[in-house]
Amino acid sequence: MPGKFELYKDKKGEFRFRLKAANGQNILASEGYKSRASALKGIESVRKNSQNEARLVVKTAKSGSSTFRVTATNGQTVGTSQRYKSESGCRNGMKSVAKNAPDAAVDDQT
């Protein structure tokens, strides 16, 4: 099974998406969007920007754990990863997003 985007509504009624790897693990999550159309634009932004290393920003906490963000050309965050125990794990997550996002189908659960 290839990776997929799940588009859904949260408890507040906002539209969100998450990118799941082929093994079903969540590898990226969005912030809330007011409209379905905006969330779909966010998915397209992740597809495009995940292919540009400069758009993947790693943040390392004092504890040593790491996360990464996919940013749009305007610098806005369009997706955030889970927290990884190591920077190498974080880098593997970035590779997974770059691999899965471009061709991932959208599972619209709204």
Side-chain angles (χ1 to χ4, degrees):
M1 172 178 118
K4 69 177 179 179
F5 285 99
E6 288 182 344
L7 177 63
Y8 64 99
K9 267 188 162 179
D10 66 14
K11 292 178 182 178
K12 293 181 181 179
E14 292 184 316
F15 292 87
R16 294 179 179 266
F17 63 84
R18 59 186 155 237
L19 176 60
K20 291 192 164 209
N23 64 4
Q25 182 177 357
N26 291 338
I27 52 177
L28 195 73
S30 75
E31 297 181 25
Y33 293 89
K34 298 279 183 217
S35 71
R36 181 179 174 277
S38 294
L40 289 171
K41 285 180 184 177
I43 289 171
E44 289 307 312
S45 183
V46 168
R47 285 183 170 143
K48 176 183 172 186
N49 291 300
S50 66
Q51 302 309 294
N52 181 342
E53 276 189 51
R55 302 271 178 251
L56 302 172
V57 180
V58 176
K59 296 285 184 180
T60 303
K62 289 180 183 178
S63 66
S65 64
S66 299
T67 61
F68 68 90
R69 299 177 294 139
V70 177
T71 59
T73 54
N74 64 3
Q76 185 175 9
T77 298
V78 290
T80 305
S81 74
Q82 66 182 18
R83 186 164 300 280
Y84 293 91
K85 291 180 181 177
S86 68
E87 190 171 331
S88 64
C90 186
R91 298 275 175 205
N92 287 336
M94 292 165 63
K95 289 177 187 173
S96 183
V97 168
K99 176 184 174 186
N100 285 284
D103 300 320
V106 176
D107 178 5
D108 190 340
Q109 301 176 354
T110 62

